Amino acid sequence: MEIYLPIAEMAVNPWLMLGIGLIVGGVSGLFGIGGGFLLTPLLILSGIPAPIAVVSGASVSAAASMSSFIPQWEKRALDLRLGLTMVTAGVMGVTIGSIIFRWLSMLGFAELVVRISYVLLLGFIGSSLLSESIKTMKNAKNPKILKRSKSNIGYLLPLKMRFPRSKLYISILPPIIIGFVIGILSAIMGVGGGFLLVPALIYIVNMPPSLVVGTSIFQVLILASTTAFMQSTSNGGLDVVLSSILIIGAVVGAQIGLFFGRKLRGEQLRILLGLVIIALTLVLALELFLTPKDIYTTSSAGGGL
Amino acid sequence: MKKIILFFSFLFGLLPQIAMAQRTRLAAALMDDSVLLTSNFNGAKLTMFGAVQLAGDTNTDIVIIIRGPNRQAWITKKSKIMGLWIGQKRVYFDAAPTFFGVASTRPIDEIAPKDTQSLYGMDALSQLNPHQNALSKQELEDFKTAFVNVREKQKLYINAPKAVQFMENGLFRADIKLPDLTPPGLYTVKVMVMKNKRPVDTTLQSFEVTKVGFERFIFQFARDNNFIYGLFGLLLALGAGFLSARLFRRING
């Protein structure tokens, strides 16, 4: 059975799309990230034109993060004040990032910068997540040995502010800078930035681990919604038939992911996330070195996209 | 003088008779004059019937050219820079057929030489209209050939050398497959009778590929009210997320 997509002007297998949505939603619910970084490449691999894949990515991230956000919100498992601070900076970062992106594409460096920074950044985050959580796990038997090293930069910088929910009295500069940088990166690299946010909240902001997922998902929700709306109105690439199928898979997947997320310990979750990120890094790095299967790519069949 | 008289007698007397006797007549019709893109559209079959009144020799071929609407297009070639696959070069086409099918009784290259094919628009390569660029002629040819190859893989450019079949008494039938990617628009179908590597008669037909019902509504709404459409898409996403969270909480108790 195939279903025809009115905007993409092609037929797809709805079960395949439902499966992709389920996987991406599961990853999103499990780790508290948007999952756009997985969805967009998966859609392009299944033959969906890139502009449609990018908008669908943002739209599905919005749905999945909404689905994981509600339970976190009801449990008050997020720091709204810290989240709002970061979101404000993040939206500004997205704006600046789009300008930088346009400038890079004008110079013809966009592809180069995006792909190399993707590999370096993901590789760094994935491997440090992995090595750090393995160390924690080993040390768990022997609690006398020091806990994980945390940055105390928030206590040293000026402009301190109280974040009662996180029981933190830190400078607002680190959250603002993190939000801003993630906004820039998400505009340039076309991703929600949840996978960057989670480690940043843990290691730089020193947020209590129980609030990390909720706060990160809040930021992803706002950024993904903004991106989805702006992109679908500006380039008209939103295919509601496609995104409906993906969303159904994603919201179910997100609930399943959340369920399993509650059963796993923090270190275990971080090891898993580290593995997912490292796998993605390897795929992206291989793409840089291996001869691509299709050297030529063309515009979509109906033209325009 | 004798020659001139001979010429005129030939022209006014003999020629029309000879021409009448040897005239090849062609008639053809499509089974359907529209293809509907519905929610379960997964390609379609286009069937055409026709008849040629053959005169004299029987060494006649039929070539059918189906051409979709012209649209802008581009092709990108990835390239290696410092050992990494990060470079790319793009060529834009001001106009390229979205669909181009050639169906014939024999391989097209046996029916007509390449230059005749280009002259009568019987090959996809001659139909691409690249935007002004700084590429060398050879490089541009490579890009055009690559574009045709990609479209052939997508079954949007088709070469079907056996798709036209003669039945009897000059009747013929042609079946051409349109893929699921078939873009909407007005399609023209040119039927040519080829004799001695030249077209001797031709007819022109057309059919329309259109979105209908729900698909048409969504497409037009998205184009005409993109702000509301974007908002609707976002609310749909957020609403679905909200509903699922509620639903699963009830299930989990």
Side-chain angles (χ1 to χ4, degrees), chain A residues 4 6 9 11 63 66-67 70 74 112 115 233 238 240 251 255 288-290 292 295-299 302, chain B residues 37-39 42 71 73-76 78 84-86 151 180 211 226 229-230 237-238 241-242 244 246 248-249:
Chain A
Y4 187 76
E9 298 183 337
M66 185 68 176
S67 175
I70 295 292
E74 283 166 350
L112 181 127
R115 296 186 56 186
T233 50
L238 180 73
V240 284
V251 293
Q255 294 302 323
L288 287 178
F289 292 106
L290 295 183
I295 290 186
Y296 290 101
T297 45
T298 63
S299 49
Chain B
L37 301 174
T38 53
S39 60
N42 186 22
R71 299 265 177 86
W74 50 255
I75 178 162
T76 299
K78 293 176 188 146
L84 299 175
W85 284 96
I86 41 180
R151 288 291 187 254
D180 69 305
K211 291 175 186 170
N226 63 1
Y229 180 73
L238 296 181
F242 182 79
S244 76
R246 278 288 140 87
F248 272 81
R249 196 179 58 163

Side-chain angles (χ1 to χ4, degrees), chain A residues 94-111 113-114 184 187-189 230 234:
Chain A
V94 169
T95 319
I96 306 276
S98 337
I99 296 170
I100 297 176
F101 186 71
R102 229 170 293 151
W103 178 68
L104 283 174
S105 348
M106 223 167 61
L107 296 177
F109 290 140
E111 172 103 357
V113 171
V114 168
I184 288 182
I188 292 177
M189 306 186 356
M230 302 233 292
S234 72

Side-chain angles (χ1 to χ4, degrees), chain B residues 116-178:
Chain B
T116 310
Q117 288 179 35
S118 312
L119 186 64
Y120 290 99
M122 294 155 81
D123 65 333
L125 208 57
S126 64
Q127 302 301 306
L128 302 175
N129 189 2
H131 190 75
Q132 206 167 23
N133 55 59
L135 294 175
S136 72
K137 209 177 167 198
Q138 184 53 47
E139 225 176 342
L140 190 60
E141 278 312 304
D142 291 346
F143 270 101
K144 283 165 75 174
T145 311
F147 185 84
V148 172
N149 288 340
V150 173
R151 288 291 187 254
E152 277 175 355
K153 257 188 222 159
Q154 295 170 318
K155 312 275 180 215
L156 286 166
Y157 289 5
I158 306 169
N159 208 331
K162 291 260 164 65
V164 186
Q165 304 246 305
F166 273 115
M167 294 186 293
E168 54 186 53
N169 300 330
L171 287 176
F172 65 87
R173 176 200 174 120
D175 294 299
I176 298 112
K177 267 199 188 135
L178 303 175

